[in-house]
Amino acid sequence: MEEPLYHERQSMLFCAVHALNNLFQHKMFSRHDLDCFAHQLAPDHIINPHKNLLGVGNYDVNVLMLALHRMGKHAEWFDSRQDIHNEALSDCFGLILNIPTKVFRMMPVGRHWLALKKVGRRWYNLDSKLKHPVPFETDESLKHFLHEKLQKGGQLILIKDESANHEEE
């Protein structure tokens, strides 16, 4: 019997924390950790540009990338003008998707981070807004999901091992 997947649920605007922990499949980072990363990125700013002014999360990509780097991972932006191929996904540790959020499906009000990870032979949507991880039946259904999100303003980040990144150079 397979072990259940680790899945944190959404709390306030801490989707970056949840996406990272869901990606690594355990509680790797806390709100405090990401607040410290945001401070490291802007130590002399009274108002930190890398997180929410009220201290309820909403971390930007720089904080996320620093956290990934600390874990030996490399974040590679996916060019949404390209098609998603199996080769692009094959050497990924996981995926992080940043999607626009809307009120009542109309007005954009912000963005949301979510993780996608392959466990065994199957990809899972580990979005913290979901009640539980949702498996993709096939790689094609994952690619269709990603294509749909990218068409609606989503941004995709491929997460790879740092060592694999250095080998390519």
Side-chain angles (χ1 to χ4, degrees), residues 12 26-27 33-34 45 47 52 59 68 71 82-83 88 92 101 117 123-124 132 138 141 143 146 150 152 160 162:
M12 299 174 83
H26 61 91
K27 187 164 181 63
D33 294 327
L34 269 61
H45 286 73
I47 297 174
N52 182 281
Y59 302 100
L68 290 164
M71 298 309 301
Q82 305 294 318
D83 286 333
C92 287
T101 56
K117 185 164 180 75
W123 282 93
Y124 288 86
H132 51 79
T138 64
S141 61
K143 290 189 284 187
L146 293 172
L150 293 173
K152 293 180 180 176
K160 301 181 178 189
E162 284 279 350

Side-chain angles (χ1 to χ4, degrees), residues 94-142:
L95 307 171
I96 293 186
L97 191 59
N98 185 250
I99 56 174
T101 56
K102 298 179 180 184
V103 175
F104 303 115
R105 301 188 185 271
M106 295 164 53
M107 189 171 115
V109 294
R111 298 190 70 84
H112 175 68
W113 295 107
L114 65 101
L116 301 139
K117 185 164 180 75
K118 190 169 192 174
V119 178
R121 294 182 176 205
R122 181 173 279 183
W123 282 93
Y124 288 86
N125 182 344
L126 301 171
D127 187 346
S128 59
K129 289 185 176 180
L130 297 172
K131 289 184 179 180
H132 51 79
V134 175
F136 291 96
E137 292 303 317
T138 64
D139 286 356
E140 289 305 313
S141 61
L142 166 70

Side-chain angles (χ1 to χ4, degrees), residues 60-80:
D60 75 5
V61 69
N62 299 295
V63 173
L64 196 84
M65 291 175 90
L66 182 55
L68 290 164
H69 177 71
R70 294 282 169 92
M71 298 309 301
K73 303 300 177 200
H74 169 74
E76 181 180 303
W77 289 98
F78 179 79
D79 183 349
S80 62

Side-chain angles (χ1 to χ4, degrees), residues 19-34:
L20 287 165
N21 290 338
N22 289 342
L23 181 71
F24 286 100
Q25 283 295 284
H26 61 91
K27 187 164 181 63
M28 178 83 50
F29 296 102
S30 67
R31 164 187 180 176
H32 175 74
D33 294 327
L34 269 61

